[in-house]
Structures are given as C-alpha cells and as structure tokens.
Amino acid sequence: MIVLLFGVMYFMMIRPQQKRRREAADMQSALGPGDEVVTIGGLYGTVTGVDDETVLLEVAPGVQTRYARPAIARVVTRAELPATPETEDADTVKE
C-alpha cells in the first residue's frame, strides 16, 4: 500500500514539477536579443544582451537593467529571425 501511495505521489507531484523546471530552463537558455519577456516580478522588457548567467533588458527607451536568467518568467514574443537565402530559395522551388 505504501509503495502504491509513493507511486501515485511521484506521477501526480514530482514528475510534473520536473517537467515544468525543464521547460523553464529550456526557455531561459533560448533567450536572445529582441525577445520581449516578463520577469517574475511582472516587469516587461526587451532582451538586449545575454551572457552565461544574466540577461540585459531594456525596460524603457535608453533604460537597461540586468537580471539573472532564472528571473525571467516567460517570453511574450520571440524576435523575428531574418529570412536566410536558403529558405527564400526553397520557397521559390515549391511554387
């Protein structure tokens, strides 16, 4: 009975928490300049620089603040990636 209880606790509590932690780490490692993000404190900003442990956010024109990567709660919008010549050529071949 105790083993069954532990199994239920693992699948209902521990495993989902590990998944959320992994997703947050993946999101924080994929941050790049131009991404609009929200911090855990509710501050909106645009990523202007990234290094190993910190993220530089522009919260107003000319105002930049530095935050630890784990302080980023979510990405609101991703930066637009410029079109590469390979993808443009592939589009013309399909037509």
Side-chain angles (χ1 to χ4, degrees):
M1 190 65 149
I2 292 176
V3 172
L4 181 63
L5 182 62
F6 180 74
V8 169
M9 283 183 51
Y10 174 77
F11 283 106
M12 298 296 286
M13 297 173 68
I14 298 170
R15 192 164 181 236
Q17 182 63 29
Q18 289 174 340
K19 183 180 176 185
R20 278 191 294 266
R21 193 175 314 134
R22 190 177 320 114
E23 289 172 353
D26 291 343
M27 180 268 306
Q28 291 164 356
S29 67
L31 288 173
D35 292 346
E36 185 177 342
V37 297
V38 179
T39 65
I40 57 175
L43 183 73
Y44 284 77
T46 304
V47 177
T48 58
V50 178
D51 66 15
D52 292 338
E53 295 181 9
T54 61
V55 176
L56 193 61
L57 296 181
E58 183 173 26
V59 294
V63 179
Q64 294 184 348
T65 57
R66 191 173 66 170
Y67 288 90
R69 277 185 186 253
I72 305 301
R74 66 185 170 98
V75 176
V76 177
T77 55
R78 289 269 179 211
E80 293 287 326
L81 295 176
T84 60
E86 295 92 26
T87 58
E88 291 174 1
D89 291 341
D91 291 339
T92 56
V93 171
K94 290 180 184 177
E95 296 172 2

